[in-house]
């Protein structure tokens, strides 16, 4: 994690404890956006995101960044990437430039403002939809491969596997009777991940969306657009593809074929990437548990994830990782 900024709340205070509706509206007014009093909290846990009605125009979306997660430089690097995509007419939603800046600060909080872009969830079971999404991911990656991130970290075995697993084992989240079992299974899983990376070989990383699941692809009559690049990092291209897959193995093979049919119109896909699908799924499972643990002092998390940190939760995670150990030794999802 990045070092805490000087604007972070005092030690012991919750990061968003001082972010009430009045402060949200005052922050927007500080950059010339006058709200009309309509404020709708959107579904976000890592940051705080609001749809804000405006007196003199359409609603905007205001995103207040979690203190201490990203440095200013890392946030601006992501803003620049999304702006670069928008300049090339890739359907993304860049931060608005206000008074020459995309990142602003008010009352100890950093925030950005975005135009509101609606849409519905894509039909990921439809071949034409997957091909369409694949074309745009190919365009994102064609731009993402032009130059690397200099500040934002990589999605790799260390940052998404070893470090999160170590965090969970160093802290008192795992029940004592399951701790040794989880440690053993996590070690087996990470060894399986390492074998997958060895089979894949040396694959050049590129700038990714990073969290390209169906909830971050909004569909309109004009096709898809991509939102929320907050998790954008350097990493393997297949990271932005595998989360679109679901169902049994034969269904995932067909879905990957559909995605790649569009993707390869704009970006070459190295089939060795397919060795990483289950490895990346395994890393995400470990990282997700650690993410919940690291955020457990945020009141929004116990309210939204009451099942976390129960005996049943950790039993399920152990079973899940055991299944992943077996899946990582299976042949990859070669497209038909």
């Amino acid at each position: 994690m990045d070092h805490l900024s000087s604007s972070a709340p005092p030690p012991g205070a919750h990061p968003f404890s001082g972010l009430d509706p009045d402060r949200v509206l005052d922050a927007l007014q500080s950059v010339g956006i006058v709200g009309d009093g309509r404020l709708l909290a959107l579904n976000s846990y890592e940051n705080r995101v609001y749809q804000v009605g405006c007196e003199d125009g359409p609603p905007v979306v205001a995103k207040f960044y979690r203190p201490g997660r990203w440095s200013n430089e890392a946030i601006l690097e992501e803003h620049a990437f999304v702006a670069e995509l928008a300049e090339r007419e890739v359907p993304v939603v860049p931060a608005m430039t206000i008074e020459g800046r995309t990142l602003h600060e008010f009352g100890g909080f950093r925030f950005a403002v975005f135009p509101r872009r609606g849409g519905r969830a894509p039909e990921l079971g439809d071949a034409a939809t997957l091909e369409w999404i694949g074309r745009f991911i190919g365009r994102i990656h064609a731009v993402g491969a032009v130059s690397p991130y200099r500040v934002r970290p990589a999605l790799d075995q260390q940052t998404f596997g070893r470090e999160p697993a170590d965090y969970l084992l160093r802290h008192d989240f795992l029940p004592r009777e399951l701790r040794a079992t989880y440690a053993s299974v996590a070690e087996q899983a990470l060894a399986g991940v390492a074998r997958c990376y060895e089979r894949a070989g040396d694959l050049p990383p590129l700038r990714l969306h990073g969290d390209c699941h169906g909830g971050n692809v909004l569909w309109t009559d004009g096709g898809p657009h991509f939102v929320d690049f907050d998790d954008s990092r350097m990493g393997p291209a297949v990271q932005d593809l595998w989360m679109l897959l679901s169902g049994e193995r034969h269904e995932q093979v067909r879905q990957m074929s559909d995605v790649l049919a569009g993707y390869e119109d704009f970006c070459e896909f190295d089939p060795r990437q397919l060795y990483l699908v289950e490895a990346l799924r395994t890393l995400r499972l470990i990282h997700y548990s650690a993410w919940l643990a690291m955020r457990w002092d945020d009141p929004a998390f116990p309210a939204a994830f009451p099942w976390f940190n129960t005996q049943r939760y950790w039993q399920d995670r152990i079973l899940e990782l055991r299944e992943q150990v077996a899946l990582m030794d299976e042949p990859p999802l070669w497209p038909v």
Side-chain angles (χ1 to χ4, degrees):
M1 294 181 65
D2 295 292
H3 294 295
L4 291 174
S5 69
S6 60
S7 62
H14 177 260
F16 292 111
S17 59
L19 187 63
D20 57 23
D22 286 340
R23 182 158 293 187
V24 170
L25 294 174
D26 288 345
L28 289 171
Q29 190 161 349
S30 74
V31 295
I33 297 175
V34 181
D36 63 7
R38 292 176 296 161
L39 195 67
L40 175 64
L42 301 180
N43 187 25
S44 177
Y45 299 105
E46 185 66 8
N47 304 297
R48 294 295 186 266
V49 183
Y50 304 90
Q51 179 178 301
V52 183
C54 298
E55 287 188 353
D56 56 355
V60 297
V61 172
K63 177 178 181 179
F64 289 79
Y65 292 91
R66 178 176 291 272
R69 181 174 185 235
W70 295 123
S71 65
N72 288 351
E73 292 78 10
I75 294 172
L76 291 172
E77 203 170 39
E78 176 235 318
H79 288 183
F81 178 39
V82 179
E84 190 178 352
L85 294 170
E87 288 170 4
R88 287 162 173 76
E89 299 184 344
V90 179
V92 295
V93 185
M96 296 166 59
T97 300
I98 304 171
E99 299 176 352
R101 294 173 289 130
T102 58
L103 182 62
H104 314 277
E105 185 168 349
F106 181 87
F109 293 98
R110 296 170 298 167
F111 69 98
V113 183
F114 301 82
R116 179 185 176 276
R117 295 285 186 269
R120 59 186 182 274
E123 295 288 342
L124 295 181
D126 178 66
T129 297
L130 287 174
E131 185 174 345
W132 201 341
I133 292 173
R135 282 198 295 271
F136 281 119
I137 296 176
R139 292 178 63 189
I140 290 172
H141 287 184
V143 177
V146 170
S147 61
Y149 278 137
R150 302 293 183 184
V151 178
R152 295 178 80 86
L155 191 164
D156 55 27
Q157 299 178 68
Q158 182 68 20
T159 59
F160 263 57
R162 178 61 60 189
E163 290 174 9
D166 288 348
Y167 180 89
L168 290 170
L169 293 169
R170 285 198 316 270
H171 295 80
D172 294 328
F173 286 95
L174 285 150
R176 182 174 301 177
E177 62 272 23
L178 295 178
R179 180 183 174 86
T181 303
Y182 183 88
S184 174
V185 173
E187 195 62 40
Q188 293 174 47
L190 291 173
V193 169
R195 290 194 300 272
C196 290
Y197 270 80
E198 288 170 6
R199 289 194 289 269
D202 185 20
L203 294 168
L206 51 89
R207 291 176 293 174
L208 303 167
H209 180 286
D211 195 25
C212 197
H213 56 74
N216 283 333
V217 182
L218 298 181
W219 199 269
T220 67
D221 293 339
H225 61 273
F226 296 78
V227 298
D228 194 6
F229 279 71
D230 195 63
D231 287 312
S232 183
R233 295 170 178 250
M234 298 292 293
V238 75
Q239 168 65 18
D240 280 349
L241 305 181
W242 74 263
M243 276 187 279
L244 300 172
L245 311 179
S246 62
E248 299 296 327
R249 180 183 173 86
H250 71 277
E251 295 174 294
Q252 294 188 44
V253 168
R254 178 188 57 78
Q255 292 159 4
M256 181 64 82
S257 299
D258 294 335
V259 171
L260 290 178
Y263 183 92
E264 293 195 298
D265 286 345
F266 294 94
C267 196
E268 182 179 356
F269 183 80
D270 188 332
R272 293 179 301 156
Q273 297 262 354
L274 295 172
Y275 284 110
L276 299 182
V277 170
E278 293 302 335
L280 291 167
R281 196 191 309 272
T282 302
L283 292 177
R284 185 174 177 85
L285 291 172
I286 296 172
H287 182 268
Y288 184 72
S289 291
W291 174 68
L292 291 174
M294 291 176 184
R295 300 291 184 254
W296 206 237
D297 64 338
D298 182 336
F301 277 69
F305 309 103
W307 35 260
F308 173 69
N309 210 29
T310 62
Q311 184 92 2
R312 177 64 181 271
Y313 174 84
W314 292 112
Q315 289 172 339
D316 288 347
R317 300 293 75 75
I318 289 168
L319 177 61
E320 203 168 44
L321 288 179
R322 282 177 173 154
E323 292 172 348
Q324 285 303 118
V325 169
L327 287 170
M328 284 187 287
D329 285 332
E330 291 189 3
L333 299 171
W334 299 118
V336 294

